[in-house]
Amino acid sequence: MTKPTTNFSPSPHSTLRPIFKLHPVSPPSTPTKPSLKILCSQNPPPPNPNPSPKQTLTLVSILSAIPNWADTIQERGMRQNRTLYNHETWVQHRSSYRHIRHFLSSLSSRVILSLIPPVIAFTSFAVLIAGYNSAVFVHWLPEFFPTLRASSLPYQLTAPALALLLVFRTEASYSRFEEGRKAWTKVVAGTNDFARQCHLIYGSDMERDLENLLEADDLAVVLSSKHRPRCIIEFISQGLQMLHLEESKRNLLESKISCFHEGIGVCEQLMGIPIPLSYTRLTSRFLVLWHLTLPIILWEDCNWIVVPATFISAASLFCIEEVGVLIEEPFPMLALDELCKVVHNNIRESIASEKLIQVQLNAKRKSPATEHSPNGRPTS
């Protein structure tokens, strides 16, 4: 029998740990007998305490993926340019096929896509409540587990309150939208009037003035300003002071600039002051509590129908609340770029038609009048 042998493979950073192994030593002329062999091995490397975040998907990141995607879709829709309606657009807008067209385009609506997170959450909660009550009913759970059900009387009492809350919330948002629209209407009308008065009083060449609205150095000053609209108004005001005009005419033009200040003031208030946050929070909390308890209230009468009922209720009520939130900030809903283009085109059109109209009227005035003009135009 051979003697036990010991093999060491020491390392300056290793801890010796004996591992005993029995293995046969079988020389050809002697019977096989067990032999003891002692081996040394290093400790296994400790696990990495900081795993790579790319290899680990947490529950929070998974649950927040859908809301983040819905918010991205919504903000992308808010940045889209709106267009002004014309006759063809109004005909399509009031077409009898609008309901079918709107229904088929539901999956591309940013309002509906933004409702996916809350609707999925409350519908899934209704599935859990229905599954739990079904498990209790078929005795898959111990007897001390109660069935989650309640009377519908509290819902009958609070349903009018929720309806009024949603109506008032949406109405308040629409009033802000209307106020923003009126502010921009006043700015557009004031711009047209100011351009007309400048041309009549000072006799400037508007066609040449409109070729380059701002020179490069003036544009740099406007872009570096923290309040660009007021900077542009200051350019206009200082330009009027440099003109050689009578005081009365200068004051008349200065009064036309006041509409710009009023419009900017209204827009700043709408952007900086939302609907009272307590109102928005109350509406949101009311909707959440309503749909969390809806499966429990409807279980007695509907059983598994509570799942589609919760889905329809969440999609409807949250859609109304979402529309109110979207139009609360009115300016992304308005075709502001198109309005500015309309103002620019209107001034250019007035320039092109002014000389033609003057020539036409002067020609008629100089021509001998054989009869009285039917439109009351003076003939002499």
Side-chain angles (χ1 to χ4, degrees):
M1 179 177 181
T2 60
K3 294 182 181 181
T5 61
T6 305
N7 295 335
F8 294 94
S9 56
S11 176
H13 301 288
S14 64
T15 304
L16 295 179
R17 186 177 63 182
I19 298 180
F20 296 90
K21 291 186 179 180
L22 293 174
H23 63 90
V25 179
S26 52
S29 59
T30 58
T32 304
K33 291 187 180 181
S35 172
L36 184 64
K37 185 176 182 180
I38 302 176
L39 301 176
C40 294
S41 65
Q42 297 181 353
N43 287 331
N48 187 6
N50 298 321
S52 175
K54 296 182 180 180
Q55 301 175 355
T56 305
L57 290 177
T58 62
L59 181 61
V60 176
S61 62
I62 296 176
L63 294 178
S64 61
I66 296 179
N68 292 338
W69 169 79
D71 292 340
T72 303
I73 295 295
Q74 179 178 348
E75 294 302 323
R76 188 185 306 164
M78 296 286 284
R79 291 192 296 267
Q80 291 180 354
N81 292 330
R82 303 300 188 271
T83 57
L84 295 175
Y85 271 34
N86 51 27
H87 176 70
E88 290 76 13
T89 313
W90 280 112
V91 170
Q92 184 183 12
H93 179 73
R94 58 176 175 262
S95 172
S96 301
Y97 296 99
R98 65 183 182 275
H99 304 293
I100 299 176
R101 184 177 68 250
H102 296 164
F103 179 76
L104 295 178
S105 62
S106 298
L107 295 180
S108 61
S109 172
R110 71 176 186 277
V111 176
I112 295 179
L113 293 178
S114 64
L115 297 178
I116 290 179
V119 171
I120 289 180
F122 291 114
T123 305
S124 303
F125 184 76
V127 171
L128 292 177
I129 295 296
Y132 169 81
N133 287 339
S134 299
V136 172
F137 180 76
V138 298
H139 305 290
W140 286 355
L141 296 176
E143 295 181 356
F144 58 84
F145 282 92
T147 302
L148 298 179
R149 56 189 177 186
S151 173
S152 61
L153 181 60
Y155 265 47
Q156 298 176 10
L157 295 176
T158 57
L162 178 60
L164 291 176
L165 190 63
L166 287 175
V167 169
F168 290 156
R169 175 69 172 79
T170 307
E171 182 65 23
S173 298
Y174 180 76
S175 65
R176 290 171 56 86
F177 173 82
E178 187 69 12
E179 190 174 0
R181 185 190 65 81
K182 290 180 179 179
W184 264 90
T185 301
K186 183 181 294 186
V187 170
V188 170
T191 303
N192 291 326
D193 191 22
F194 181 77
R196 183 181 63 86
Q197 292 290 344
C198 282
H199 181 65
L200 291 177
I201 294 177
Y202 185 66
S204 63
D205 188 357
M206 288 193 295
E207 185 174 6
R208 180 178 56 83
D209 295 338
L210 288 175
E211 290 180 357
N212 296 314
L213 296 179
L214 287 176
E215 297 181 357
D217 52 349
D218 298 336
L219 181 60
V221 174
V222 172
L223 294 178
S224 62
S225 175
K226 295 183 178 180
H227 200 296
R228 295 175 182 175
R230 294 194 185 280
C231 184
I232 295 176
I233 293 176
E234 187 64 25
F235 265 106
I236 298 175
S237 180
Q238 293 295 331
L240 291 178
Q241 297 298 327
M242 297 173 63
L243 297 178
H244 299 287
L245 295 175
E246 298 178 2
E247 190 67 22
S248 59
K249 295 181 179 180
R250 181 180 291 106
N251 293 336
L252 178 61
L253 292 178
E254 285 284 353
S255 64
K256 301 298 180 181
I257 303 179
S258 60
C259 66
F260 300 147
H261 289 286
E262 294 177 3
I264 291 174
V266 173
C267 295
E268 287 179 342
Q269 290 183 4
L270 292 176
M271 282 296 297
I273 305 175
I275 293 177
L277 296 180
S278 57
Y279 205 173
T280 304
R281 292 167 184 162
L282 176 61
T283 307
S284 179
R285 291 163 183 166
F286 204 152
L287 285 172
V288 170
L289 292 177
W290 177 278
H291 289 93
L292 285 178
T293 55
L294 184 62
I296 301 175
I297 298 296
L298 298 181
W299 175 256
E300 188 70 24
D301 300 326
C302 300
N303 290 339
W304 274 90
I305 303 298
V306 299
V307 177
T310 303
F311 174 83
I312 296 174
S313 176
S316 303
L317 298 182
F318 277 97
C319 184
I320 298 174
E321 194 264 347
E322 183 70 20
V323 171
V325 172
L326 286 179
I327 65 176
E328 183 180 359
E329 183 186 355
F331 304 111
M333 302 291 107
L334 297 174
L336 300 183
D337 292 338
E338 291 293 329
L339 285 176
C340 294
K341 291 178 181 179
V342 166
V343 173
H344 191 267
N345 294 333
N346 288 342
I347 297 176
R348 284 187 175 276
E349 184 180 359
S350 66
I351 297 171
S353 61
E354 181 187 12
K355 296 180 179 180
L356 178 62
I357 293 174
Q358 287 179 353
V359 171
Q360 187 76 11
L361 292 178
N362 291 331
K364 290 183 177 181
R365 188 179 182 87
K366 293 178 180 179
S367 63
T370 58
E371 61 181 8
H372 182 70
S373 176
N375 59 3
R377 176 182 56 82
T379 58
S380 60

